[in-house]
Each structure stands twice: as C-alpha cells, then as structure tokens.
Amino acid sequence: IVMPKGAPLSKIQATQSYGANVILHGDVFDESLEYARKLQQETGATFVHPFDDPAVIAGQGTIGLELFEQLDDIDAVVCPVGGGGLLAGIAIAMKQKNPAIRVYGVESAACASTTAAKQHNQPIIITPSNTIADGIAVKRIGDLTFSYIQKYVDDIVCVEETDISRTMLYLLERNKLLVEGSAACSLAA
C-alpha cells in the first residue's frame, strides 16, 4: 500500500498491523497513486484503486444501507468527499432506497477538487493548499465517482480550515471524541 510521506503515523501503523507492506512515496495522495500504478506495471501486482473502482464504491455504499437499518426517518445525509468513493457509494444506496433523501458532499475549501470538477463539468487537477483534512485531500476526483456524484448528489459544500479545526475541538470538548479533520468536515458544514 502506497501512502504519501506525510501520512499520519497512526494510519501507517494501523495499515501495517493488518499485515500490509506500506511504501511511503510522494508528498500528496496523487503522487502516491501514480507511484502505485507504476509499481503495478513493474511487478504485475493487482492494483486496487482507493476510490474510483466499482467494488470499492459498492463496499462504501453499505454504509448507506446501515443508515437505513439504524434510522427510521432520514431527510438528508452529509458526507465528506475527497476522491468520491465514499460519497458516491452512500449516495447511490440512499437514492435507490429513497430518492427524496438529500445527499450532500463536504470538502475542504483548501482542496476542493469536486467543486472544481462540477464547475468544469469534468474531473480536473487542482492545485491544493495544505489542509487539516488530509484524508480527503485529493487533487482530482475519480472519473467513475464523479459520474455517480453528478447523478446522485444534491450539492457539494466547502468548509474552511478554521471551521474544521473548531469542529474537531468541539467534538473533543463536548463529546470526548477525537476525530481527524476529514471526519469533522461534515459536522463543520
């Protein structure tokens, strides 16, 4: 599994604890992805895209099904978006079960690749700024995920770094939950 050099130690260690060989390459996710593809070509290893893959999207969509199992009445779902797999999967599941449910994606304004793709009506590469929401810091949303987001997601919202940070602090102080920036984006919105 290829991760950026700046990946949080907790993510690296957790991945290694599952038995994975973690290779640190690149300064951002997109550089790691490019290197992973190069390694796949050189070694013949199986390549699994982290978000732009039908099986990955379907797997992440099971979260939407779990929401239906746990809640009787859902008006809206707010989900962080980076590469788009999680949002696409959840949106497909929600809209298939109940098309009236509103589905919103949230991304950091510092790395708003989905917003840029919507503005250009296709995925484009953006120049991101540093963000505390490193788990969703992707310079280009996936082609497949973007097509699903266009079809099933009602809107994309951007949140500022200060709002993400304040939400992380709020969750820690009020709920005793320590969450990463990517997870805090939805509540920040």
Side-chain angles (χ1 to χ4, degrees), residues 31-77:
E31 292 172 6
S32 299
L33 179 63
E34 184 179 321
Y35 185 69
R37 286 187 168 141
K38 179 182 173 212
L39 281 178
Q40 188 277 326
Q41 291 173 350
E42 291 173 357
T43 65
T46 301
F47 178 79
V48 179
H49 198 287
F51 52 80
D52 210 28
D53 178 275
V56 171
I57 293 168
Q60 292 176 320
T62 63
I63 295 170
L65 301 178
E66 290 176 24
L67 289 172
F68 281 113
E69 289 174 4
Q70 295 176 23
L71 301 170
D72 294 329
D73 188 27
I74 302 172
D75 295 320
V77 174

Side-chain angles (χ1 to χ4, degrees), residues 145-165:
T145 57
F146 181 67
S147 68
Y148 287 134
I149 288 169
Q150 286 284 79
K151 183 174 182 178
Y152 294 106
V153 174
D154 295 289
D155 201 5
I156 302 295
V157 178
C158 291
V159 291
E160 298 296 330
E161 293 298 298
T162 54
D163 295 321
I164 299 169
S165 299

Side-chain angles (χ1 to χ4, degrees), residues 104-123:
Y104 301 97
V106 183
E107 62 187 346
S108 167
C111 191
S113 61
T114 305
T115 299
K118 287 184 79 62
Q119 290 169 346
H120 291 87
N121 206 32
Q122 66 181 2

Side-chain angles (χ1 to χ4, degrees), residues 9-19:
L9 185 58
S10 60
K11 288 181 184 179
I12 296 167
Q13 290 175 336
T15 304
Q16 289 172 330
S17 75
Y18 292 121

